[in-house]
Amino acid sequence: MKNFFVAILILSVVAVLGFSGYRGYSIWSQAELVSRAKECLEKGNSIGAMIALRNVMAINRLNPDACRLMGDFAETDHSPEVVQWRQRLLVIDPESFTNHVLLARAALEFGDLATAQKTLDRVNAEDKKTSTFYMTQGAVYVAGHSLDLAEAQFTEALKLEPDNSQLQLNLALIRLQSTNTSVASVARNNLEKLSANRDFRAEAFRQLALDALRHSNAVQALTYSRKVVGEPNASLNDRLFHLNLLRITQDSQQSEFLGRLQAECVTNSQASYQLGKWLLQNLKPEMTMAWIKTLPLQTRTNLPMPFLETDCHMLLKDWSGLLSSLSGQNWGAMDCGRLVACVRAYKELDQLTSAKITWIQALQATDNQESQLQELLDASTRWKWPAEQLEVLWVVVNHFPDNLRAVTVLSGILYSKGQTSALMRLSSQCLERHENELELMNNLAATALLLEAWEKKPHQLAYQVYTRCPTNASYMTTYAYSLLLQKKPAEALKIMEQINPSQLENPGLAAYYGVILAAAGKRDQASHYLDLALHTTLLPEERKLVERAIARK
């Protein structure tokens, strides 16, 4: 027995030591991988760093160093995933002020003001007295257009760091927008002073140029803009802004500056696209197209340049040229945009069979992605293609039942076309996803009553909706019509008479009120409402109800 206990003790010790050894190895391997990731980053090997970090996450998804670096990667790529990584980092160490700030700034970058503010609200009282907190809170207020609150935060931060040029810039930008002319004037002077700082010179002159333009002083704006484009860190947007000022002021340097920009952009598709958009907005499309044709083939065919060339062809109504330029291209994940442009060209050239085939290809190219389907929906709506619009709406609703905008648009089209069965199908389908949505329940009840689709239990539905919201005129009307079909005209009329008289002048409600009045024997009173109903769009079954009621007068 003694030997047995000794054996058990030895096994236990070995097991503990073995587990501790495994755990120690796991921790060591994580540290080694994180170290390797940092080393790769120092050498500019981002792929190697990412592989090392993913290996860390496979071992421990809550490794703080790996989560921080993954968040840094996402931040550099301007990816919304940065918010998720910063949230995970805060879960790992919820007491860290730095983690709160990182999450708030990430959320702010992607417009999630609620998350940013909620995160800052959780910061402890002592950390709320720091300049970092004041600056971050001020940025949230700026994004929310609460400039007075933002100014107060930046002012507090500046008290703690009076030599902080970034804070001085933030305050000057807020005060520059003041309606108090003396406050705005002081802000301009402060920006002029900041321009002496090499790190803030370009931004100071940029804001002064924008301020001058806001005050309709294009000549002054041009003076500041010249200083901006003279800086080594001037962006393409800065140069396009300068080009626009040269155009506005009709400056003699416009042609020369435009030529230099065109030369700079010749091998860069993204830069050429931005410049081309400016040309298209400010010059004739023929001139823009002529410039596009001077570009190297690689620049011209790399995205997003084909978007610009497509716009030019459409503005010029050069449909054959559009088809020629798009044939043989592939826009990758956005190829449905190329195909729908081809559909437009085929339709304009009256090649309807080709248009139909290409439309089917465009639908397939969306791969049922909501953003791609939305692009086809926008195009079919903009170019007034009712059949294609209806088709893509059904695809959107079938795959994305939460897209209420698509549901609303589809409902309106089906109603205007008098497609009652399709309306009932749409309401029934959406109700499966949103079981307690009163509007959908009412729509299903109303269409099922008209179609006598008793399997949908419309009488029960109409009653449920009415009892849950007994003052809604539309719901009251559906329930009243349900009562009428149940041979209860007096009860139906009693419900309708509780509706505000001004609402009963709505032709859609007037149709039912007139029918119910006629069924209750009040034919003279019914005439006005039935006449109103005849002059509006009704479903075929509704129109028959009105016509039968008029015939019985």
Side-chain angles (χ1 to χ4, degrees), residues 138-139 141-143 146-155 167-180 183-184 187 191 207 214:
Y141 284 144
V142 169
S146 300
L147 298 186
D148 289 344
L149 294 175
E151 182 180 3
Q153 295 293 318
F154 292 141
T155 300
L167 284 171
Q168 294 170 12
L169 177 67
N170 291 346
L171 270 175
L173 294 184
I174 289 176
R175 291 168 178 168
L176 194 62
Q177 301 175 58
S178 174
T179 54
N180 185 317
V183 171
L191 285 173
Q207 295 301 329
R214 276 196 300 269

Side-chain angles (χ1 to χ4, degrees), residues 278-299:
W278 185 91
L279 293 171
L280 199 57
Q281 290 168 1
N282 295 283
L283 304 177
K284 293 180 179 180
E286 294 91 340
M287 297 176 69
T288 305
M289 180 61 79
W291 171 71
I292 290 173
K293 290 179 178 179
T294 67
L295 296 172
L297 185 62
Q298 186 174 0
T299 304

Side-chain angles (χ1 to χ4, degrees), residues 39-333:
E39 184 179 338
C40 287
L41 285 174
E42 289 173 2
K43 294 179 179 179
N45 181 5
S46 58
I47 294 176
M50 182 60 73
I51 292 172
L53 290 173
R54 290 196 184 282
N55 286 333
V56 177
M57 302 308 294
I59 299 170
N60 177 13
R61 61 188 296 273
L62 293 179
N63 182 289
D65 292 326
C67 288
R68 184 174 292 104
L69 287 172
M70 289 294 283
D72 292 345
F73 259 112
E75 186 175 76
T76 301
D77 291 341
H78 301 288
S79 168
E81 289 184 5
V82 64
V83 177
Q84 299 170 23
W85 289 113
R86 299 313 190 198
Q87 285 173 329
R88 189 179 297 187
L89 200 56
L90 190 57
V91 169
I92 295 170
D93 187 0
E95 300 301 317
S96 168
F97 173 54
T98 299
N99 290 349
H100 281 84
V101 172
L102 286 173
L103 175 55
R105 289 176 177 173
L108 182 60
E109 181 181 356
F110 291 94
D112 188 354
L113 301 189
T115 295
Q117 188 57 63
K118 186 177 178 181
T119 303
L120 292 177
D121 287 343
R122 292 199 295 261
V123 172
N124 66 54
E126 281 304 306
D127 287 330
K128 284 183 177 179
K129 298 175 183 177
T130 62
S131 61
T132 299
F133 177 84
Y134 289 133
M135 288 176 70
T136 309
Q137 181 66 80
V140 173
Y141 284 144
V142 169
H145 306 290
S146 300
L147 298 186
D148 289 344
L149 294 175
E151 182 180 3
Q153 295 293 318
F154 292 141
T155 300
E156 290 301 316
L158 197 59
K159 289 177 183 177
L160 298 173
E161 296 185 43
D163 296 326
N164 188 316
S165 297
Q166 182 63 61
L167 284 171
Q168 294 170 12
L169 177 67
N170 291 346
L171 270 175
L173 294 184
I174 289 176
R175 291 168 178 168
L176 194 62
Q177 301 175 58
S178 174
T179 54
N180 185 317
T181 55
S182 61
V183 171
S185 179
V186 170
R188 291 186 193 97
N189 290 334
N190 288 338
L191 285 173
E192 291 279 6
K193 291 176 183 177
L194 276 171
S195 68
N197 185 323
R198 183 179 59 186
D199 295 333
F200 293 91
R201 182 180 299 136
E203 186 61 27
F205 286 139
R206 188 179 293 122
Q207 295 301 329
L208 286 166
L210 288 168
D211 175 65
L213 193 58
R214 276 196 300 269
H215 290 85
S216 303
N217 192 342
V219 173
Q220 183 66 42
L222 182 59
T223 300
Y224 286 122
S225 180
R226 282 198 171 96
K227 295 178 181 180
V228 175
V229 296
E231 290 296 308
N233 60 345
S235 67
L236 178 58
N237 283 334
D238 289 326
R239 293 195 286 276
L240 289 174
F241 179 68
H242 186 66
L243 179 60
N244 204 44
L245 288 173
L246 291 171
R247 182 188 63 81
I248 292 171
T249 57
Q250 298 181 334
D251 192 280
S252 59
Q253 294 182 1
Q254 180 184 352
S255 296
E256 179 191 349
F257 191 79
L258 174 57
R260 279 165 40 202
L261 268 184
Q262 289 172 326
E264 289 174 13
C265 297
V266 71
T267 59
N268 186 317
S269 295
Q270 181 64 50
S272 291
Y273 175 69
Q274 289 181 257
L275 176 57
K277 283 199 303 182
W278 185 91
L279 293 171
L280 199 57
Q281 290 168 1
N282 295 283
L283 304 177
K284 293 180 179 180
E286 294 91 340
M287 297 176 69
T288 305
M289 180 61 79
W291 171 71
I292 290 173
K293 290 179 178 179
T294 67
L295 296 172
L297 185 62
Q298 186 174 0
T299 304
R300 186 174 169 180
T301 55
N302 282 351
L303 293 178
M305 273 303 292
F307 302 159
L308 180 68
E309 188 165 347
T310 297
D311 288 343
C312 283
H313 281 298
M314 287 188 176
L315 287 171
L316 293 168
K317 301 188 184 302
D318 179 13
W319 308 114
S320 297
L322 177 58
L323 286 172
S324 177
S325 71
L326 293 177
S327 64
Q329 290 191 31
N330 187 313
W331 292 1

